[in-house]
Amino acid sequence: LFVWAYIRQWRRFWPQNRWHRHDYIKAGAGVSILLMALHSFIDFNLHVPANLIYFALVIGLFFHEAHLKPQAT
């Protein structure tokens, strides 16, 4: 279920023509989630409380829906 939600979230903001600052943060958080998940397959990465808190923070950033006003050009 998490993998499905992760892929769906990437598809929500990736194909946009104009990126807002928040989209760059979401892309960095998405890459961070992927790398930490891959690391947790090899090692007990998420058993360390600091890593688990960081992982939860990054998940929160990635799945946050920002209500941004359109920029005037």
Side-chain angles (χ1 to χ4, degrees):
L1 183 63
F2 179 75
V3 173
W4 175 77
Y6 178 76
I7 292 171
R8 186 184 63 131
Q9 188 66 17
W10 271 110
R11 288 185 176 188
R12 278 185 160 176
F13 77 92
W14 187 263
Q16 296 176 357
N17 293 344
R18 301 179 92 191
W19 279 44
H20 193 268
R21 231 182 268 170
H22 188 264
D23 294 330
Y24 290 108
I25 293 172
K26 286 177 78 163
V31 170
S32 180
I33 289 170
L34 177 66
L35 293 176
M36 287 190 75
L38 289 175
H39 184 225
S40 68
F41 280 122
I42 298 169
D43 194 11
F44 295 107
N45 184 34
L46 297 179
H47 287 231
V48 178
N51 291 344
L52 185 61
I53 291 171
Y54 175 73
F55 190 65
L57 172 78
V58 173
I59 287 175
L61 287 173
F62 186 66
F63 285 104
H64 180 263
E65 291 295 326
H67 301 288
L68 303 171
K69 296 177 185 175
Q71 296 177 352
T73 56

